[in-house]
Amino acid sequence: MDRRQRKTREAIFRAFTALLREERCDRITVQQIIDRADIGRTTFYSHFDTKDALLKSLCADIFDHVFSAELDRESAHDFSHDHGTRARITHILCHLQEHLDALNGILSGESGAVFMSFFREKLAELFAPSIPSGTGVPDDYLLNHLVCSFCETVRWWTKHTQYAPEEVSAFFFGTMPGWRENDA
Amino acid sequence: MDRRQRKTREAIFRAFTALLREERCDRITVQQIIDRADIGRTTFYSHFDTKDALLKSLCADIFDHVFSAELDRESAHDFSHDHGTRARITHILCHLQEHLDALNGILSGESGAVFMSFFREKLAELFAPSIPSGTGVPDDYLLNHLVCSFCETVRWWTKHTQYAPEEVSAFFFGTMPGWRENDA
DNA sequence: ATCCTGCTGAACATGGTGTTCGGTATCGTG
DNA sequence: CACGATACCGAACACCATGTTCAGCAGGAT
C-alpha cells in the first residue's frame, strides 16, 4: 500500500480514537475527524464510505490484533487445543489492555452496540465448545450468559483500569458457576 | 390532561413502538413517526423536543409501570421488606412480559443503550443490598455483573419469548453463584 | 522525466432536524 | 349554547451534517 495512503489511514484512526476519548461516537461529525486528522474532506471519503464503516474498520483492526495474536500463541505452544478456556481468556484480556482507552470511547454511548456485536460473535465461537453441562439451564441461555458476562466485564474494565488482566480474569471466573480453575 | 393530547401522545407511542419492531431506532426518522401516527409535524415537536426525548419517555413509561407495580405489590403484602430478591425479580419479569415485543425493538440496534442505562440504574438499587459477600471479587464488579446479567437475560428473552417469567427467573438464578433459592 | 495515483478544497445536491406562523378544530366551562 | 383557551394542522423556512463532483496539485514509482 502506498505510503501516503497508510499515513492518511493512520491519521484518521488516530483522530477518531482521540475524539472517541472525548465524546460519544454518535456526536462526532465527519468534519471533526477531518479537522483533527488534518486531511481533505474528499480524502476521508476515498478511504471510508461512512463514519460507520470507519468504526467497523477500527473494530476489525482491534479484533484482528486481539484474536489473531491469541490464535498464533495457541498454535505456537503445542500443548494447546484444549489447555483451558481460562488461559485463552487471560490472553485476550492482555491484548485488549493495549486498546483500553480507545475501547472506553467506543463502548460509551451508542456506538458500543457495533463493537459488542462483533465481540459477541467472536466470543460465542470461543465459548461454545466449553459451556458446562447439567446446569438445568438451556445451553442457548448459558452461552449468551457467558458471552455477555465477558463483554460486560471488559466494559467494566474500561472504567476500572487499575486492575491487571489476570485479576480481571479471576473476577470473571469467580462469577462463573461450573467452571474449574483450569478446565483441561 | 386534555383528551386530544392523550390521544396524540398514544398515537406517537404506538407509531414509534411499531416502527421499532421493523427498524433500528437510529434509522427511524421523525417524519416516519409523524406519517405513521398521522399527525402534524408541529404537533410532534410540541409533545417531544427530539426523538431521543421520545425514546426516553417511552422507557420511563415502561419503567414506571414495571417498577412501581412491583413496589405496590411489595407494600400491599405485608410479609415483605425482605421476602427474597427472587420473588421481586420474577415479578419484574412478569410486568416486563407485557412489553416484550416493544422491548425487542428498543433493544435491537443502537437505541438499546438508552434503555439499558435506565434499567441498570434501577437494578443497581435493587441488587445493591443483596450482593453476596466473601466471593473474593470486588463488590463493585459483582454488582455490575448481577445488573448486566439480568439486563442481558431480558434481552435474550425478547428473542426467546416462549419461556414463562418463572422459567426465565430460574435461568437467571441458575447462573448466579452464592444466591439461595429464597434468600430471606 | 513522466506517468500514475492519491490528496486537496471549494462548491453542490440531498435529506433530516427543529422552528415559525396563520389558520382550523376541538375541548372544558359558564 | 357560546366562548375563550388550547391543541392540532401543514407549508415554508433556516440550519446542519452527509456524501459527491471536479479541476488542479503534489508525491511516489519506474
Side-chain angles (χ1 to χ4, degrees):
Chain A
M1 182 189 272
D2 197 308
R3 193 169 74 223
R4 289 171 295 176
Q5 272 188 65
R6 236 185 309 116
K7 274 182 63 175
T8 301
R9 199 182 160 87
E10 265 173 34
I12 293 175
F13 276 158
R14 218 185 355 259
F16 189 45
T17 54
L19 286 166
L20 277 171
R21 262 167 241 143
E22 298 166 16
E23 206 162 356
R24 277 177 36 182
C25 181
D26 55 313
R27 293 287 180 201
I28 296 172
T29 68
V30 173
Q31 194 58 52
Q32 284 176 284
I33 301 171
I34 286 168
D35 290 344
R36 184 73 69 107
D38 196 29
I39 57 168
R41 186 166 192 74
T42 322
T43 308
F44 176 88
Y45 281 107
S46 74
H47 278 263
F48 301 100
D49 286 344
T50 72
K51 198 181 66 186
D52 235 58
L54 168 58
L55 179 61
K56 281 180 186 165
S57 277
L58 183 59
C59 290
D61 265 29
I62 293 177
F63 284 128
D64 273 3
H65 173 220
V66 170
F67 283 92
S68 85
E70 162 59 17
L71 290 178
D72 284 345
R73 197 203 150 277
E74 199 174 50
S75 50
H77 299 61
D78 231 284
F79 62 104
S80 64
H81 173 260
D82 218 39
H83 68 296
T85 306
R86 176 150 186 172
R88 278 170 172 150
I89 290 291
T90 307
H91 274 87
I92 288 174
L93 288 171
C94 282
H95 290 295
L96 277 174
Q97 194 173 31
E98 298 160 36
H99 303 280
L100 266 193
D101 53 348
L103 280 184
N104 188 16
I106 295 175
L107 291 180
S108 69
E110 315 268 321
S111 64
V114 176
F115 182 91
M116 283 303 187
S117 72
F118 266 75
F119 202 23
R120 280 201 177 95
E121 212 174 299
K122 288 280 190 183
L123 289 174
E125 292 169 26
L126 185 63
F127 286 143
S130 31
I131 54 173
S133 54
T135 54
V137 170
D139 285 357
D140 199 1
Y141 176 86
L142 201 49
L143 180 58
N144 184 66
H145 174 70
L146 297 178
V147 167
C148 292
S149 293
F150 189 66
C151 285
E152 295 298 337
T153 296
V154 172
R155 190 203 293 274
W156 176 86
W157 195 22
T158 63
K159 311 282 182 199
H160 303 78
T161 51
Q162 71 269 27
Y163 294 103
E166 291 78 13
E167 291 178 287
V168 176
S169 184
F171 299 161
F172 175 65
F173 279 87
T175 61
M176 289 298 116
W179 267 0
R180 243 57 78 248
E181 276 280 311
N182 278 295
D183 66 335
Chain B
M1 183 188 270
D2 197 310
R3 192 169 76 224
R4 288 170 295 176
Q5 273 188 65
R6 235 184 309 116
K7 274 183 63 176
T8 301
R9 197 182 161 87
E10 264 171 36
I12 292 174
F13 276 157
R14 218 187 352 263
F16 189 45
T17 54
L19 286 166
L20 278 171
R21 262 167 242 144
E22 298 166 15
E23 204 161 358
R24 277 176 37 180
C25 180
D26 54 313
R27 293 287 182 201
I28 297 172
T29 69
V30 173
Q31 194 58 52
Q32 283 177 284
I33 301 171
I34 287 168
D35 291 344
R36 184 74 69 109
D38 197 28
I39 58 168
R41 185 167 192 72
T42 322
T43 308
F44 176 87
Y45 281 106
S46 74
H47 279 262
F48 301 99
D49 286 345
T50 71
K51 199 182 65 188
D52 235 58
L54 167 60
L55 179 59
K56 281 180 185 164
S57 278
L58 183 59
C59 291
D61 264 29
I62 293 177
F63 284 128
D64 274 2
H65 172 221
V66 169
F67 283 92
S68 85
E70 163 58 17
L71 290 178
D72 284 345
R73 196 202 151 279
E74 200 173 48
S75 50
H77 300 61
D78 230 284
F79 62 105
S80 64
H81 173 261
D82 217 38
H83 66 296
T85 306
R86 176 149 186 171
R88 278 171 173 150
I89 290 290
T90 306
H91 274 87
I92 288 174
L93 288 171
C94 283
H95 290 295
L96 277 173
Q97 194 173 32
E98 297 160 36
H99 303 280
L100 266 192
D101 53 347
L103 280 184
N104 188 15
I106 295 175
L107 291 180
S108 70
E110 315 267 322
S111 63
V114 176
F115 181 89
M116 283 302 187
S117 72
F118 266 75
F119 203 21
R120 280 200 177 96
E121 213 173 298
K122 289 278 191 185
L123 289 174
E125 292 169 27
L126 185 65
F127 286 142
S130 32
I131 53 172
S133 55
T135 54
V137 170
D139 285 358
D140 198 2
Y141 177 87
L142 200 49
L143 181 58
N144 184 67
H145 174 69
L146 295 178
V147 167
C148 291
S149 292
F150 189 66
C151 285
E152 295 299 336
T153 296
V154 172
R155 190 203 292 275
W156 176 86
W157 196 22
T158 64
K159 311 283 182 199
H160 303 78
T161 51
Q162 72 268 27
Y163 294 102
E166 291 78 13
E167 291 178 288
V168 176
S169 184
F171 300 161
F172 175 65
F173 280 86
T175 61
M176 290 297 117
W179 268 0
R180 241 58 76 251
E181 275 281 310
N182 278 295
D183 64 337

